[in-house]
Amino acid sequence: MGSTALTVVWLVAGAEWLLIAFFIAAQILLSVVKMLNKAYIGRFVRQRFSGAQARHVLERATSLGLVGGLVGGGLGGLLLELGSAGWLFALAALMYVVSLWAIRFTLREGVDPQRVDPAPAKASPAETSSGLTGSNRRLLWLVLVFSVPSSGALPYISTLMVPFSDVIAPGAGAFYAALTIATTLGGFVAGMALSAEKITIGHVLTFGLLASAALCVGLGAATWAPLVLLLVFLVAVVLTAHVISMQVLTNQAPAENEVGKFTVMRNCVAGLAKGGFSLVAGWIVDVGGPAQSWLVLAVVLVVFGVGWYFVDRKYEGVSIPS
């Protein structure tokens, strides 16, 4: 709807303030839709796939989403050079229609008859005002707290890329592009490695943050461009694997009727972490430079990584990988 409205305003050459107002409204609407869409997809995956299949779906979807973001961003820039922005809004609206049709096509056969879920248990007296039992509320806090470091670290690193690339290879725009590709490729490899079970969620949750901290220390000290590319690729692999693992935990750990609530809450916290980490990264770069920024990120990851060993991960009916 937002993209369609923007297309109409653009084509009729509406006032600039009107175009800006519609653009802001479209962004707000898109943010709400994305949050609800993720909650719905989480519930859908939980209902239609077994535990192992659901993990593979989420892992591959994340990898493909990263590739789609890279391809879409490049394609958007190319189309802007060839035509007006108004037609890109129209294309975005068309793509939403196609995705809606694809979802309806997928769901038209109804629920898989081979997948019979037990009736939901009645709420216990320990049910809290938020609709979660005491045990599940503690599980929700675990998911929210440990979604912060990896969700925030990736945009933190993105914020560092321009000043960092200028320090390693001054004036070489191609090196910044190489860093961006290395980061995206690392995210894709992480999803594929988890999906193929080359690495396990338990190992990622246990060692991922500490391994990322060690790589960040290396990036703070490295000055040789090929080594920097390798370290950026590896840290992207580990951090993205942690993000995916937390997404899988969000989908698989809670009761089925609480998946949507867990997903929405986690997305809110992850969004705040992304914005907060990005702002902090920009401030630290201005004050101390890229090398100090990597070290600050390493300290934050160590704090959360060590904290994982001390939190209670035993919950009624839930198995947290370790």
Side-chain angles (χ1 to χ4, degrees):
M1 292 174 61
S3 296
T4 303
L6 282 168
T7 304
V8 173
V9 174
W10 185 280
L11 291 177
V12 299
E16 182 178 348
W17 68 266
L18 184 61
L19 182 62
I20 294 174
F22 270 97
F23 181 79
I24 294 174
Q27 292 303 306
I28 295 173
L29 178 62
L30 180 60
S31 298
V32 174
V33 169
K34 286 176 66 177
M35 182 179 297
L36 296 176
N37 184 56
K38 287 184 177 181
Y40 173 77
I41 289 175
R43 184 72 178 270
F44 171 77
V45 170
R46 181 68 179 270
Q47 289 178 334
R48 297 294 292 267
F49 300 96
S50 65
Q53 290 176 325
R55 287 195 297 272
H56 291 163
V57 168
L58 292 172
E59 291 157 1
R60 291 172 183 172
T62 300
S63 291
L64 294 175
L66 289 168
V67 174
L70 180 64
V71 174
L75 184 60
L78 177 61
L79 292 176
L80 276 174
E81 292 293 326
L82 298 177
S84 68
W87 293 113
L88 288 184
F89 291 135
L91 179 61
L94 177 61
M95 292 177 69
Y96 277 114
V97 172
V98 172
S99 65
L100 179 62
W101 174 84
I103 291 173
R104 290 182 178 275
F105 178 80
T106 303
L107 298 178
R108 68 179 183 178
E109 296 181 0
V111 179
D112 185 351
Q114 296 181 354
R115 173 76 188 272
V116 180
D117 295 316
K122 294 183 178 179
S124 67
E127 186 114 18
T128 65
S129 60
S130 65
L132 298 173
T133 63
S135 177
N136 281 349
R137 185 170 59 177
R138 286 185 287 113
L139 173 61
L140 176 60
W141 276 108
L142 176 75
V143 170
L144 295 181
V145 170
F146 287 95
S147 291
V148 168
S150 53
S151 294
L154 289 173
Y156 182 102
I157 291 172
S158 296
T159 304
L160 294 182
M161 283 304 171
V162 173
F164 184 54
S165 66
D166 192 52
V167 169
I168 302 300
F175 185 68
Y176 170 72
L179 288 174
T180 303
I181 293 172
T183 304
T184 305
L185 183 60
F188 177 76
V189 170
M192 292 297 101
L194 281 168
S195 179
E197 299 183 350
K198 300 299 182 182
I199 54 177
T200 67
I201 289 177
H203 287 152
V204 171
L205 294 177
T206 304
F207 305 112
L209 295 178
L210 296 178
S212 299
L215 292 168
C216 288
V217 172
L219 282 164
T223 57
W224 187 41
L227 177 59
V228 167
L229 286 174
L230 175 62
L231 291 176
V232 166
F233 167 76
L234 292 175
V235 78
V237 170
V238 180
L239 287 174
T240 306
H242 192 274
V243 170
I244 295 173
S245 298
M246 294 306 300
Q247 290 175 343
V248 172
L249 187 62
T250 302
N251 184 266
Q252 295 296 302
E256 185 177 296
N257 63 329
E258 294 170 350
V259 170
K261 184 179 298 184
F262 271 58
T263 302
V264 169
M265 292 293 292
R266 182 193 171 277
N267 289 340
C268 289
V269 170
L272 290 173
K274 292 175 182 178
F277 272 60
S278 296
L279 290 174
V280 170
W283 178 75
I284 296 175
V285 167
D286 287 340
V287 173
Q292 287 75 10
S293 301
W294 286 114
L295 296 180
V296 170
L297 179 58
V299 171
V300 172
L301 293 173
V302 166
V303 170
F304 280 95
V306 172
W308 179 259
Y309 289 91
F310 293 96
V311 296
D312 181 12
R313 300 194 296 275
K314 296 180 180 179
Y315 301 93
E316 182 180 354
V318 178
S319 175
I320 304 297
S322 60

